[in-house]
Amino acid sequence: MQRQLANMKQSLFDQGYLDEQFIQLEELQDDTNPNFVEEVVTLYYRDSVRLIQNIENALDKNPLDFAKLDSHMHQFKGSSSSIGARKVKIECTQFREYCRAGNGEGCKRTFQQVKKEYATLKKKLEAYFQFARQAGPVEKACRPK
Amino acid sequence: MIVEKIRGGNENGDSFPVGMRVLAVDDDPICLKLLETLLRKCQYHGMFFSLIGIQDSSDFNWDAQCTSFPLFHEFLVLDFVDPIVQPSKLLVLGAFERFWFSFTFPFRFIDCLVQARMALKMLRENKDRFDLVISDVHMPDMDGFKLLELVGLEMDLPVIMLSANGDPKLVMKGVTHGACDYLVKPVRIEELRNIWQHVIRRTKCDSKNQNKSADQVKANPAIVEGQGSPVAGNADQNGKINRKRKDEEDESEDGNESEDPSTQKKPRVVWSIELHRKFVGAVNQLGIEKAVPKKILDLMNVEGLTRENVASHLQALIFPSLKYRLYLKRISSVATQQANMAAALGVKDSPFMRIGPFEGLGDFRTLAGPGRLTNAALSHYSTGGMLGRLNTPANVNLRNLTPSPFIQPSHAQNPNNSITTLGKIHPSLQPANQNPSLFQGIPSSLELDQLQQNNCATGIANFNGVDDSRLLGNQSNVLNGTPSNTMVLNGKYQQTLNSGGFGNQSFNVGVDGSPNLLNPSAIESSRMQPNSLLSNEPFQLPMNSARDNNFSSVPYLQNNPIDISSSTMALPLEDSREMQYQEGLVGDVSQTPSQRWGEQGMNYCHGSKIAYGSLNSHLPANEIMNEKMGVVVNGILGGGGSNLMQQKENEILGTQLRGRAEDNFLLEQQPKLQGGFVPRSFDSLDDMMNAMIKREHDETLPNCDFGFDGYSFGAGI
């Protein structure tokens, strides 16, 4: 089971959903903080709802306030990078590019991508953590190759 | 996050900072949680900490909360959430031993600044409570750089900046604002492991300068109180303050230059009034063009002074003066007046002027030195209008030059004239000046003048804006650095501000060593806010605090941004108001510059200290501003500075000082000073210019985003 868990995690990395930062989070997890990673991820998904809503609202406005959009996205990107959400972060960067270019359509399109990646990762991480709980406490996961 | 650390063995500064108390400020709860965990991990030997963040709005009593934990709370996490989107949402997490618990409580936001207020409030309430502040750059309610400056100025705490954006420009900005370090999110534990060095370093510097600073600190408050005191008295105080500022500057530098231990070891030369006087005398004797460090050194004939000391001092002071000189040439000179002013101002500035590489604003520093505008000087200005004063021949006492800008207070009389003149000069000067800021500063000061009319808050806005950032100074007579400048600027600023509704726009007139009012980057990005900014916020000049802060003669040099940030921003933001103010100022400042000096981009970052006029600018009421400015000015000017204030608004200042007015600082109004336009008032001249120019634009005091870069009010304020 542990191996399955490890494989799950490895595939997340291999597919590029997670990056090095996630490993950092894991390294912070220890006896004193046994569920740290899950806590942080949960916190991320909880808090990012607000951020995403901000962006949605801002995208609905007409004309678009790119500065505000960029600012909101900056925040969201920061959060995402804190948990190692790689693909999400990439899309965020793209979004900001469009913002800077003043490309409203590009922003909207990219934001859909952002949300898509965000939702995908959420599902995958939920599955991962669920599995991890089932697998029971175990030594710290090995760093994926 | 605020991590409280046990101050064990900190006195000697040698023991390992176990249980270091860190305050982290970020609007991203995920990041905060991460930070807290990382910091917790860095706790050695199982230090427990409590992490407190406020998740929901509530009437949270921080102290009560903290004391409820059996263990001292080590971490305090402030998570500022955009109040517009959600009512204050502060994440509160408590950790007790291995037990993490969280509690949420409703928190009613009184205003948008509440979060920022909370952090600052906490810090202010107990300056000993935290050892280190980690602050995010991008926050909805407060510009991280502003917080940085405030914290650095008020509490002299090491501040580490944090951001998802690792743009070197921002990093530079952080450094210039006095940040000890700049971390890029996501933060790694390795990066946090060594942040304690900043605390230790600062502790060491603190103890080193303890003696020196002790009386200076005392002097600061005295200065504020003694607005009515004679110039001479102030001069002394200013001198002390200047020294202190310088010390603080030194300290900050040390703190900031963690990577460069050698800087800490260098003995610092304290440019006392006497020393500066000699310096100025030597320079005058040689003539500006011929004033080379070696010759100056010879002429000064001071034991123990090295050529390098002189060179750096010269650099700080001379550059602004070049512009100033040109400026003066264009203005009908009032040699006598200037001489008076110079004399009155004394040499104070020099200590503050520690501005590193000035670009061409050189003289300002020197000007700043003599800077304290005596009442007479100030009045002189007022009568002659600023321009008149400025006309002193270049080779005339540099000091003279300085005072001119300060004429502000009186400029009420000839605001129009001066403004025009300044305006004209400005353009011409710019090309000539290496630091357009110099002039830019003046325009802003002009604007300030407007405000000033309301309050003759003198000199607060020292625009030592050697740098472009000076533009910012416009708003506030950022009289940084040169006391005289400060004074003048303040006056100007005030006037200009007045129109804008700002009491005394006196930007922190160089209160703090070198408030970098004008941040090059800030300027560029600063938003020019309409005058509304200025007028809206009741700008409280945190005079008191500013005083203390400012006095650290920490010239805010671009190159040595470190000093400035911490020491300078003397904006004594005692409360959120101040912060707001600063922000407002910042905003203002930035605006002005852009308006005025399009190109300026105000990158004054030359380390010029910009009297953070912004402080002043946002005085809600002119009177208040004036007072504040006055106060600040006094503070800033140190000995000399106070003169300015006294001249005009002694009364006003006095009263106002005490009465820090409204809190509503510009913060609210101010757009985020992301741009951090911090005018650095390097040269008093610049400041004057700014002020003068500002006057010209009385009505339209642009609210520049005054990047309140912790500039130290160089001018012995």
Side-chain angles (χ1 to χ4, degrees):
Chain A
M1 217 171 180
Q2 296 303 332
R3 209 157 0 116
Q4 265 178 292
L5 192 66
N7 287 342
M8 258 182 110
K9 189 154 62 138
Q10 185 62 43
S11 84
L12 283 175
F13 278 100
D14 291 342
Q15 290 170 40
Y17 286 103
L18 297 174
D19 61 21
E20 178 73 16
Q21 179 61 21
F22 195 79
I23 298 171
Q24 291 282 320
L25 291 183
E26 290 190 313
E27 287 183 348
L28 286 175
Q29 186 159 295
D30 58 14
D31 289 345
T32 59
N33 220 344
N35 297 315
F36 176 68
V37 186
E38 190 173 355
E39 280 171 18
V40 175
V41 173
T42 306
L43 185 61
Y44 165 72
Y45 277 106
R46 185 148 48 101
D47 189 72
S48 54
V49 169
R50 162 181 73 89
L51 296 174
I52 287 180
Q53 194 56 51
N54 284 353
I55 300 175
E56 297 264 24
N57 294 344
L59 280 175
D60 280 340
K61 293 207 173 25
N62 199 1
L64 289 177
D65 182 349
F66 288 107
K68 201 147 181 67
L69 276 172
D70 189 62
S71 157
H72 285 315
M73 185 47 86
H74 175 86
Q75 277 183 269
F76 180 71
K77 184 178 169 210
S79 285
S80 303
S81 65
S82 289
I83 68 158
R86 185 174 163 276
K87 287 201 175 184
V88 177
K89 192 165 77 156
I90 290 171
E91 296 299 335
C92 289
T93 306
Q94 184 61 52
F95 182 94
R96 294 191 78 195
E97 287 298 317
Y98 281 123
C99 270
R100 295 205 193 105
N103 184 343
E105 278 313 303
C107 283
K108 290 179 180 166
R109 256 186 295 116
T110 309
F111 189 59
Q112 297 309 316
Q113 280 299 110
V114 168
K115 285 196 287 186
K116 180 162 152 282
E117 291 297 339
Y118 170 86
T120 305
L121 181 65
K122 182 171 184 187
K123 279 211 277 297
K124 288 194 184 279
L125 283 176
E126 271 172 3
Y128 174 75
F129 285 123
Q130 185 147 1
F131 203 77
R133 264 181 262 121
Q134 287 169 14
V138 71
E139 63 278 4
K140 212 153 77 139
C142 306
R143 198 179 261 262
K145 310 287 177 293
Chain B
M1 293 194 285
I2 301 179
V3 176
E4 296 225 359
K5 154 174 109 174
I6 301 172
R7 281 212 182 256
N10 274 4
E11 287 66 25
N12 56 14
D14 288 340
S15 61
F16 195 84
V18 186
M20 182 175 65
R21 298 164 299 179
V22 176
L23 168 65
V25 181
D26 195 336
D27 65 338
D28 180 358
I30 290 106
C31 177
L32 281 174
K33 184 168 171 73
L34 187 60
L35 262 179
E36 81 188 55
T37 306
L38 287 171
L39 288 167
R40 188 166 189 264
K41 279 247 166 179
C42 293
Q43 295 303 304
Y44 300 80
H45 314 304
M47 295 294 298
F48 295 117
F49 57 88
S50 62
L51 180 64
I52 303 174
I54 303 174
Q55 184 72 58
D56 293 323
S57 29
S58 79
D59 292 311
F60 180 51
N61 180 338
W62 290 94
D63 287 344
Q65 200 60 47
C66 294
T67 54
S68 69
F69 298 150
L71 295 178
F72 49 84
H73 35 280
E74 295 185 25
F75 280 105
L76 177 60
V77 179
L78 291 181
D79 173 13
F80 296 147
V81 168
D82 186 349
I84 299 164
V85 174
Q86 258 174 316
S88 56
K89 190 174 157 195
L90 301 171
L91 174 67
V92 179
L93 303 173
F96 172 50
E97 292 192 30
R98 299 168 188 209
F99 187 80
W100 287 85
F101 54 91
S102 61
F103 29 89
T104 62
F105 20 97
F107 184 92
R108 278 180 289 288
F109 273 81
I110 302 164
D111 55 28
C112 294
L113 299 172
V114 70
Q115 302 101 321
R117 252 192 223 215
M118 286 208 62
L120 274 183
K121 182 173 186 286
M122 249 185 330
L123 288 170
R124 285 184 188 130
E125 276 167 359
N126 184 356
K127 311 232 164 151
D128 247 2
R129 192 162 146 184
F130 300 104
D131 303 307
L132 180 78
V133 177
I134 298 179
S135 171
D136 190 12
V137 166
H138 182 106
M139 289 188 290
D141 72 317
M142 183 195 324
D143 178 21
F145 291 115
K146 216 173 236 290
L147 176 64
L148 161 65
E149 285 175 2
L150 290 174
V151 171
L153 285 173
E154 288 189 37
M155 293 125 214
D156 193 25
L157 283 178
V159 181
I160 291 178
M161 299 305 295
L162 190 61
S163 177
N165 189 343
D167 185 7
K169 279 205 289 253
L170 273 185
V171 178
M172 179 61 180
K173 188 170 167 196
V175 172
T176 51
H177 278 77
C180 294
D181 204 348
Y182 192 104
L183 304 177
V184 181
K185 290 189 209 177
V187 182
R188 300 295 197 85
I189 192 159
E190 298 83 24
E191 293 167 343
L192 287 177
R193 271 193 207 284
N194 287 325
I195 58 175
W196 57 267
Q197 63 176 293
H198 302 295
V199 180
I200 284 291
R201 187 178 300 109
R202 194 163 284 237
T203 311
K204 279 200 183 289
C205 294
D206 283 345
S207 45
K208 209 190 339 171
N209 295 314
Q210 204 56 51
N211 302 338
K212 284 190 246 168
S213 310
D215 34 316
Q216 287 166 6
V217 176
K218 291 183 202 128
N220 294 339
I223 296 194
V224 172
E225 253 62 52
Q227 289 201 332
S229 62
V231 175
N234 296 326
D236 290 344
Q237 288 177 327
N238 292 334
K240 285 190 203 157
I241 294 172
N242 294 341
R243 274 195 287 279
K244 175 168 187 351
R245 240 181 263 175
K246 191 178 198 314
D247 291 339
E248 289 177 8
E249 191 182 8
D250 295 349
E251 291 173 35
S252 352
E253 277 184 354
D254 288 348
N256 293 330
E257 296 170 39
S258 46
E259 298 77 37
D260 183 13
S262 62
T263 50
Q264 300 175 27
K265 311 240 170 71
K266 289 186 196 131
R268 293 187 185 277
V269 173
V270 174
W271 282 89
S272 65
I273 300 179
E274 264 319 298
L275 209 57
H276 184 80
R277 224 185 279 277
K278 284 191 182 165
F279 174 84
V280 175
V283 169
N284 285 334
Q285 198 173 330
L286 292 166
I288 292 182
E289 286 85 0
K290 289 206 168 50
V292 290
K294 186 75 174 68
K295 292 190 184 164
I296 297 173
L297 183 66
D298 293 341
L299 273 177
M300 283 175 72
N301 194 20
V302 171
E303 252 185 50
L305 198 65
T306 71
R307 192 204 145 277
E308 284 68 33
N309 295 139
V310 176
S312 68
H313 191 65
L314 178 71
Q315 189 177 31
L317 295 168
I318 286 299
F319 277 107
S321 66
L322 290 178
K323 279 201 200 164
Y324 186 81
R325 228 176 335 141
L326 287 168
Y327 178 86
L328 290 178
K329 280 177 188 160
R330 283 171 170 72
I331 306 172
S332 55
S333 59
V334 185
T336 22
Q337 289 174 342
Q338 291 187 343
N340 294 341
M341 292 193 62
L345 293 176
V347 188
K348 231 19 157 95
D349 303 330
S350 32
F352 299 106
M353 297 301 268
R354 269 206 351 165
I355 307 184
F358 271 110
E359 297 179 358
L361 281 183
D363 269 2
F364 249 96
R365 300 270 176 153
T366 38
L367 295 177
R372 281 188 267 175
L373 291 178
T374 51
N375 295 327
L378 287 177
S379 51
H380 174 74
Y381 281 121
S382 45
T383 48
M386 293 218 327
L387 297 181
R389 309 252 176 128
L390 293 174
N391 274 335
T392 344
N395 27 8
V396 172
N397 245 333
L398 288 182
R399 287 187 258 150
N400 292 338
L401 296 179
T402 334
S404 357
F406 286 109
I407 303 202
Q408 312 247 355
S410 46
H411 68 257
Q413 302 168 16
N414 310 319
N416 297 330
N417 298 340
S418 40
I419 294 177
T420 350
T421 320
L422 284 175
K424 292 180 197 152
I425 295 184
H426 182 66
S428 47
L429 284 174
Q430 288 190 348
N433 301 328
Q434 304 168 25
N435 300 326
S437 55
L438 186 60
F439 293 101
Q440 294 176 355
I442 306 225
S444 27
S445 48
L446 284 181
E447 293 178 297
L448 292 177
D449 288 343
Q450 295 181 0
L451 290 177
Q452 193 179 27
Q453 295 191 355
N454 304 335
N455 310 309
C456 289
T458 46
I460 305 253
N462 265 342
F463 278 106
N464 289 327
V466 172
D467 297 328
D468 309 327
S469 47
R470 195 75 63 89
L471 287 178
L472 292 176
N474 303 332
Q475 295 277 329
S476 48
N477 293 319
V478 175
L479 295 176
N480 298 331
T482 55
S484 48
N485 292 334
T486 341
M487 306 268 270
V488 175
L489 287 179
N490 285 335
K492 289 194 207 166
Y493 185 81
Q494 297 185 352
Q495 291 186 351
T496 46
L497 291 178
N498 288 339
S499 56
F502 285 94
N504 300 321
Q505 280 281 349
S506 49
F507 284 111
N508 285 321
V509 179
V511 172
D512 295 316
S514 49
N516 289 316
L517 288 181
L518 304 174
N519 255 341
S521 50
I523 300 183
E524 290 159 359
S525 49
S526 58
R527 300 166 271 202
M528 295 286 275
Q529 298 166 15
N531 295 328
S532 57
L533 256 193
L534 291 174
S535 37
N536 301 337
E537 309 298 342
F539 186 70
Q540 286 196 353
L541 284 185
M543 295 287 206
N544 300 326
S545 44
R547 252 182 316 110
D548 298 330
N549 299 326
N550 295 332
F551 292 126
S552 53
S553 53
V554 178
Y556 185 58
L557 300 174
Q558 209 172 17
N559 298 327
N560 306 320
I562 303 174
D563 317 329
I564 306 189
S565 309
S566 26
S567 47
T568 48
M569 283 306 281
L571 289 185
L573 293 180
E574 296 196 355
D575 46 52
S576 54
R577 289 179 298 188
E578 295 172 341
M579 291 206 28
Q580 300 176 358
Y581 176 81
Q582 292 190 344
E583 295 226 343
L585 285 180
V586 174
D588 297 335
V589 172
S590 48
Q591 279 192 344
T592 327
S594 48
Q595 291 181 359
R596 298 218 196 232
W597 306 284
E599 91 267 15
Q600 298 238 348
M602 310 264 297
N603 290 325
Y604 273 101
C605 291
H606 274 291
S608 49
K609 299 175 220 202
I610 296 189
Y612 200 63
S614 50
L615 256 190
N616 305 326
S617 55
H618 292 286
L619 287 182
N622 292 336
E623 288 63 38
I624 297 182
M625 289 214 24
N626 289 329
E627 291 180 55
K628 294 216 186 208
M629 297 217 9
V631 173
V632 173
V633 173
N634 284 333
I636 304 177
L637 294 179
S642 47
N643 302 333
L644 261 186
M645 307 276 285
Q646 295 171 351
Q647 301 176 9
K648 288 253 163 142
E649 322 349 288
N650 281 341
E651 315 65 54
I652 306 178
L653 291 175
T655 41
Q656 292 187 351
L657 285 183
R658 323 278 163 127
R660 293 267 225 100
E662 333 32 43
D663 290 16
N664 303 327
F665 263 16
L666 309 177
L667 274 185
E668 296 182 9
Q669 303 197 341
Q670 245 253 309
K672 242 152 46 134
L673 294 175
Q674 299 286 352
F677 186 70
V678 172
R680 299 194 208 194
S681 47
F682 274 109
D683 309 320
S684 48
L685 182 55
D686 284 353
D687 295 343
M688 296 196 294
M689 299 288 276
N690 290 336
M692 288 164 59
I693 298 178
K694 264 176 177 289
R695 275 200 290 203
E696 223 175 80
H697 310 261
D698 282 359
E699 287 59 44
T700 51
L701 276 182
N703 295 331
C704 308
D705 277 347
F706 226 178
F708 199 79
D709 291 334
Y711 43 83
S712 46
F713 198 76
I717 303 207

